[in-house]
Amino acid sequence: MATLMRFTKTVMKNLFSKPVTTAYPAGPAKVQERTRGQVSIDIDKCVYCTLCAMRCPANAIKVDRNNKIWEIDRFGCIQCANCVNVCAKNALSMDQHYTSPAAKSVIVTYGAPKQESEKEQAENKSEK
Amino acid sequence: MGNRSIVPFGPQHPVLPEPIHLDLVVEDEKVVEAIPSIGFIHRGLEHIVKKKDFNDYVYVAERVCGICSFMHGMSYCEAVERVMDVDIPERAKYLRTIWCEMSRIHSHMLWLGLLADAFGFESLFYQCWRMREKILDMFEMSTGGRVIFSVNKVGGVLRDMDHEMLSNFIKQFDDMEKDIIELTNVFLEDYTVNTRLRDVGILTKEQGLELGVVGPMMRASGIAFDTRKLKYAAYEWIDVEPVVATEGDCYARTYVRIKEIFQAFDIIRQAVKQIPDGEIAIKAKGMPNGEAFVRVEQPRGEAIYYVKGNGTKFLDRFRVRTPTFANIPSLLETTKGAQLADVPILILTIDPCISCTER
């Protein structure tokens, strides 16, 4: 009988305990201090040296040195944080929150001619 | 003699999330022969080495496989470090060892869950994955990633674990161990589970040696060999004895993997006790020129890495021999004479990872 009832203790425990899973996105997602969510840039510190673009394993970052534009393909990025490690001016950092899911690719541009925030861009896109 | 027919198995099959295809030649319900075909998800990762800086390729190497991603990244770094003759700091070696063993626990827990799913024990499957989730949280806490860690680099590691974090982990492992003992006893002692695993797919020691079987599958057939004895990372200072079973059936393979989970806990405890203070990385100067082989023990078995550099920042050749590839011949051997209903379990007990195999 004992061999048949091996799992009973676990079953009983389950009946009287709370679910282990959290109801994301209704509740907040669990993130840690070191979580690599997405790359964020402090564009004022950036000197457009193109080092991040050259070292990106996924070629997700494009930097236009002449027009001073820094561009990232959010879903092309693999969150390896290599660009953060190589940035000489410490302009790049890892944000703990992931990019929100989308049906189309999200390419975010920073720098001249006009500095657009991600929110504005999303709005512009939805208008189109 | 019954009627012969061919039953296709995979590449998409409910029990197996991996794209392997087998043509099963069956006589009534009995499998006479299995003809494999792989190549559904070839990504050409080995070739990228010619186009990416060898320092940046680490991030590609660890994407060879999603389960042993840490070990793939680490083995690539070890291989390049051997070519460049770089001796990394001891602390980095110990940190790599700790992450390696954490990967092993997470991989074996995942596999146990899949096995439970294969013989139709759904709640056991979820319980195993619940335990695995805790390890993933620990990975996120220490490296920043849950599946792909990106903490390796040529010359050391990128992240450190302080004393507080390590002792916190040890405490969590102590709790987990109790839960896992309870859970794994179901696999080892439950009557119903035993009827599905005992005396199914026997691979003898002689067959194993002949077919070049690796990893837990090899040790379940009574061959006492573990690549961790060959000294990479910090394993030279750590006490590791291969876990061996002699039956060679599915039960023995499950037994070996379960014991390896507890062995991994033990290794982490040893490593945390011995870890020295100091640097976690040194700067690797120059370019790799020459070639090197590295053999590591992944959760699934022995993986072989080959790296050849030509003195520029692009490597000439990078080659991986993954454990699943070495285990496919023995899989075919065990399916001969098996019942059709046992085939999913036979495939699962080699712990197949087809994305590794095809890269």
Side-chain angles (χ1 to χ4, degrees), chain B residues 7-28:
Chain B
V7 178
F9 187 96
Q12 285 157 9
H13 190 275
V15 79
L16 200 74
E18 298 274 357
I20 185 172
H21 175 80
L22 293 178
D23 275 324
L24 301 170
V25 182
V26 290
E27 236 175 57
D28 294 338

Side-chain angles (χ1 to χ4, degrees), chain B residues 27 91 99 174 235 255 297:
Chain B
E27 236 175 57
R91 190 175 175 84
W99 277 316
D174 290 343
Y235 286 107
Y255 171 85
E297 185 74 23

Side-chain angles (χ1 to χ4, degrees), chain B residues 237-239 265-275:
Chain B
W237 304 297
I238 279 172
D239 197 17
F265 281 130
D266 182 48
I267 292 173
I268 296 175
R269 287 198 194 101
Q270 285 186 44
V272 171
K273 219 175 268 172
Q274 295 173 13
I275 191 167

Side-chain angles (χ1 to χ4, degrees), chain A residues 6 14 34 36 55 78, chain B residues 127 142 148-149 160 189:
Chain A
R6 282 283 160 213
N14 275 344
R34 293 182 179 179
R36 297 189 309 273
R55 298 291 296 274
I78 55 171
Chain B
Q127 291 296 334
S142 56
I148 304 280
F149 310 123
D160 200 355
E189 289 166 23

Side-chain angles (χ1 to χ4, degrees), chain A residues 3-4 6-7 9-10 13-14 20 30-32 34-36 54-59 78-80 82 85 98, chain B residues 52 55-56 59 63 123-124 127 130 137 140-145 148-150 158-160 182 186 189-191:
Chain A
T3 50
L4 280 175
R6 282 283 160 213
F7 205 55
K9 204 173 152 196
T10 316
K13 224 188 273 171
N14 275 344
V20 211
K30 258 194 293 182
V31 287
Q32 307 287 352
R34 293 182 179 179
T35 303
R36 297 189 309 273
M54 279 193 295
R55 298 291 296 274
C56 178
N59 299 332
I78 55 171
Q79 283 92 21
C80 62
N82 197 20
N85 296 331
Y98 303 106
Chain B
K52 283 280 164 205
N55 282 306
D56 304 335
Y59 303 107
R63 278 163 176 81
S123 52
L124 188 55
Q127 291 296 334
R130 177 177 66 90
D137 284 345
E140 192 172 7
M141 208 183 283
S142 56
T143 67
I148 304 280
F149 310 123
S150 304
L158 289 164
R159 295 276 190 175
D160 200 355
E182 209 174 283
V186 181
E189 289 166 23
D190 189 273
Y191 174 79

Side-chain angles (χ1 to χ4, degrees), chain B residues 93-153:
Chain B
K93 288 185 184 176
Y94 273 100
L95 286 171
R96 281 182 180 180
T97 311
I98 292 170
W99 277 316
C100 268
E101 292 308 315
M102 279 166 73
S103 303
R104 197 177 312 275
I105 300 168
H106 123 76
S107 172
H108 283 349
M109 285 315 288
L110 174 125
W111 177 81
L112 283 172
L114 289 177
L115 180 73
D117 190 38
F119 55 62
F121 203 153
E122 285 283 321
S123 52
L124 188 55
F125 160 54
Y126 284 116
Q127 291 296 334
C128 290
W129 280 38
R130 177 177 66 90
M131 298 309 302
R132 171 178 174 255
E133 204 66 15
K134 289 190 183 168
I135 294 272
L136 294 188
D137 284 345
M138 282 182 221
F139 268 126
E140 192 172 7
M141 208 183 283
S142 56
T143 67
R146 291 171 67 79
V147 175
I148 304 280
F149 310 123
S150 304
V151 280
N152 274 304
K153 72 169 196 174

Side-chain angles (χ1 to χ4, degrees), chain B residues 129-323:
Chain B
W129 280 38
R130 177 177 66 90
M131 298 309 302
R132 171 178 174 255
E133 204 66 15
K134 289 190 183 168
I135 294 272
L136 294 188
D137 284 345
M138 282 182 221
F139 268 126
E140 192 172 7
M141 208 183 283
S142 56
T143 67
R146 291 171 67 79
V147 175
I148 304 280
F149 310 123
S150 304
V151 280
N152 274 304
K153 72 169 196 174
V154 177
V157 290
L158 289 164
R159 295 276 190 175
D160 200 355
M161 288 194 265
D162 56 14
H163 181 72
E164 203 181 319
M165 187 183 276
L166 286 172
S167 48
N168 174 22
F169 281 4
I170 291 290
K171 221 165 130 195
Q172 288 195 49
F173 285 139
D174 290 343
D175 294 341
M176 270 179 73
E177 202 169 357
K178 281 178 210 148
D179 278 3
I180 292 180
I181 287 175
E182 209 174 283
L183 214 58
T184 48
N185 275 346
V186 181
F187 284 97
L188 297 177
E189 289 166 23
D190 189 273
Y191 174 79
T192 330
V193 174
N194 269 250
T195 50
R196 288 304 304 273
L197 299 179
R198 291 253 187 210
D199 299 326
V200 175
I202 295 175
L203 187 80
T204 60
K205 191 173 178 179
E206 291 70 38
Q207 279 174 326
L209 286 168
E210 200 177 297
L211 295 167
V213 61
V214 296
M217 181 133 177
M218 163 182 76
R219 290 189 283 276
S221 292
I223 306 164
F225 178 74
D226 194 317
T227 325
R228 284 177 284 182
K229 287 274 196 193
L230 296 179
K231 296 176 186 171
Y232 61 96
Y235 286 107
E236 52 187 301
W237 304 297
I238 279 172
D239 197 17
V240 193
E241 281 307 318
V243 183
V244 187
T246 46
E247 294 94 336
D249 57 358
C250 289
Y251 181 83
R253 281 165 225 152
T254 315
Y255 171 85
V256 168
R257 289 201 176 93
I258 287 171
K259 292 296 163 204
E260 277 186 10
I261 296 177
F262 299 116
Q263 186 189 40
F265 281 130
D266 182 48
I267 292 173
I268 296 175
R269 287 198 194 101
Q270 285 186 44
V272 171
K273 219 175 268 172
Q274 295 173 13
I275 191 167
D277 291 328
E279 292 287 304
I280 54 162
I282 55 163
K283 211 170 162 53
K285 281 182 191 145
M287 298 294 169
N289 196 356
E291 54 185 345
F293 267 111
V294 170
R295 296 166 71 185
V296 297
E297 185 74 23
Q298 285 187 346
R300 299 183 161 82
E302 177 188 339
I304 302 174
Y305 273 73
Y306 171 73
V307 158
K308 186 179 178 210
N310 54 5
T312 66
K313 65 178 180 176
F314 304 111
L315 296 174
D316 255 359
R317 183 82 170 92
F318 164 61
R319 167 102 174 87
V320 198
R321 204 291 311 268
T322 60

